[in-house]
Amino acid sequence: MSGPGGDEEAERRFFAGLPATRGASGALVLSPAGEVLLVERPYRPDSPWGLPGGIIERDESPLAACRRELAEELGVQARLGRLVAVDWVPGEGVRTTALHWLFTAGLPAGAEPRLPPGELSGWTWAAPARAAVLLSPGTARRVAAGLAAAAAGETVYLEDGRPPLDR
């Protein structure tokens, strides 16, 4: 649209008028025993437990965002594994539609999370059944699907934590 004879203003208006979708990237940090690392977020009193991760910043890839968020939130360099799920989450209330990227990760041997003051208030290792109780329903579905995909060596596409495609 822009370039010789193009209209940069028309192109800007076109792209400005497209719907915005947030991106978030997080990790299933797994212990050697198969437990999932959960972090406690005081800024989400309705659903305090979640996975380490966060919003993808402008011009940042999902992988780079996951690395950055894990370093910021856990204070250790987690080893990223593989992408296990992409989850389209519908907007609700003031929250816009989002794409959540879920990778597997592990902590270095003997390392424990060192939480940033003011952002996270706790962490725990949780067996998958316990994680399903502590997490919000959508995140619990994403975690269950991500764990199954990781065990099968697959990557799964989800919509609100559910696989919409026939297998």
Side-chain angles (χ1 to χ4, degrees):
M1 291 172 89
S2 63
D7 183 348
E8 283 188 40
E9 180 58 24
E11 185 176 14
R12 186 197 62 72
R13 283 193 312 270
F14 171 78
F15 283 103
L18 293 177
T21 299
R22 292 177 294 122
S25 191
L28 285 172
V29 179
L30 302 173
S31 75
E35 295 173 307
V36 178
L37 179 69
L38 303 181
V39 293
E40 190 173 19
R41 308 163 303 184
Y43 55 88
R44 294 283 308 269
D46 60 322
S47 178
W49 290 101
L51 297 176
I55 298 295
I56 299 170
E57 295 179 356
R58 183 180 195 91
D59 298 327
E60 185 177 45
S61 75
L63 180 62
C66 191
R67 283 188 176 125
R68 176 185 52 77
E69 286 286 347
L70 292 180
E72 289 174 6
E73 291 189 348
L74 303 181
V76 297
Q77 291 297 320
R79 297 177 317 275
L80 285 179
R82 56 187 298 284
L83 177 68
V84 292
V86 177
D87 189 7
W88 176 86
V89 179
E92 182 180 343
V94 297
R95 294 181 186 201
T96 57
T97 300
L99 283 174
H100 288 258
W101 303 79
L102 187 59
F103 296 88
T104 59
L107 298 181
E112 285 194 354
R114 296 185 312 271
L115 304 179
E119 184 174 347
L120 298 174
S121 56
W123 63 274
T124 190
W125 290 108
R130 181 171 172 242
V133 172
L134 293 174
L135 296 168
S136 69
T139 302
R141 289 190 299 270
R142 183 179 316 123
V143 165
L147 288 169
E154 299 176 348
T155 301
V156 64
Y157 170 73
L158 306 168
E159 292 188 359
D160 202 18
R162 297 176 179 96
L165 302 171
D166 292 334
R167 297 187 139 222

